[in-house]
Amino acid sequence: LAERRTALVGVGGAADLLDAATTLLSGGKRMRAVLAATGLALAVEDPAEREEVIAGPTAARLGAALELYQASALAHDDVIDAAETRRGLPAAHRAMASLHAGRGWRGSSSDFGSSAAILLGDLLLSAAGREAGSALAASGADPAACVAAREAFDAMTEEVAVGQFLDLRGEALPLPAPGEDATAAAALMRDQALEVVLRKSARYSVASPLLIGALLAGLSPASAEH
């Protein structure tokens, strides 16, 4: 974020967006970063070398990319859910609405907040891709491993977008009609809910970070995915 702040120093108003990004990234458990570092060290047998990999610059940059992506997803998710708070603070769209109102700008503060939070998520998604590319380029890994890791990163972001849409779609689908087979309808709703959980949360929270780290470490895609 400091790098982006420097790059955008001459752009009026960009600091407001970066301030919101800084706030959004100030909390969280950093578990995706930990899992990516674990994936990087999966094939390392020597304890001292494993420690070095986990605490090294590649793990840090890959972890940063995952945290930036997580923040982008949260900014968008909170707009979709009309959430009031995130990690004990106003959600990004609420904070941006307060900024608008506090400065006495024209138009609807609520509309401004939602639009600004969507753009914040886009900025963070761009930063995540940039950081992922930097992590891979500086890793010294085999080119094929870098390609596999980047493809897994991009597949993760795609899957979360699809999962988020499935969640939105599920809320809009009609309830079972009177006289419809209740058991079959319940089974369908359960399967749809599990599909959302798998694509929107489960894989990108645990499996994908581990997979990306393992692929970058040189494990074959088949073995890492298995």
Side-chain angles (χ1 to χ4, degrees):
L1 288 178
E3 290 174 357
R4 304 322 310 145
R5 204 178 282 273
T6 299
L8 297 170
V9 68
V11 181
D16 292 335
L17 208 56
L18 290 164
D19 287 345
T22 300
T23 299
L24 188 56
L25 281 157
S26 64
K29 299 180 289 295
R30 309 290 193 244
M31 281 306 301
R32 290 168 183 82
V34 171
L35 290 166
T38 302
L40 276 171
L42 278 178
V44 180
E45 296 183 2
D46 180 69
E49 186 181 347
R50 188 185 307 122
E51 185 87 12
E52 188 175 335
V53 170
I54 289 174
T58 298
R61 298 196 80 152
L62 190 58
L66 288 162
E67 288 297 321
L68 286 161
Y69 175 66
Q70 159 75 346
S72 79
L74 294 180
H76 288 157
D77 190 47
D78 286 345
V79 172
I80 293 170
D81 293 342
E84 291 294 320
T85 61
R86 170 65 64 179
R87 296 169 178 165
L89 297 172
H93 64 282
R94 297 301 306 148
M96 297 304 277
S98 295
L99 175 74
H100 178 281
R103 293 182 179 176
W105 290 344
R106 294 183 299 116
S108 163
S109 294
S110 178
D111 289 349
F112 176 87
S114 295
S115 298
I118 291 170
L119 296 172
L120 170 64
D122 290 347
L123 176 72
L124 289 164
L125 178 59
S126 173
R130 182 191 298 268
E131 189 65 16
S134 296
L136 302 182
S139 68
D142 180 82
C146 290
V147 170
R150 184 56 196 248
E151 287 180 349
F153 187 92
D154 292 340
M156 173 190 70
T157 65
E158 176 186 276
E159 182 175 58
V160 173
V162 172
Q164 187 71 271
F165 175 74
L166 292 179
D167 190 13
L168 184 67
R169 177 179 178 273
E171 293 181 2
L173 291 175
L175 294 174
E180 188 175 343
D181 185 335
T183 301
L188 177 61
M189 293 173 72
R190 178 202 61 205
D191 291 345
Q192 290 171 339
L194 289 175
E195 187 74 8
V196 169
V197 171
L198 178 67
R199 296 185 178 278
K200 180 183 171 182
S201 301
R203 271 206 286 252
Y204 110 98
S205 295
V206 180
S208 291
L210 275 169
L211 175 63
I212 293 165
L215 291 172
L216 186 57
L219 274 69
S220 73
S223 66
E225 188 174 336
H226 177 74

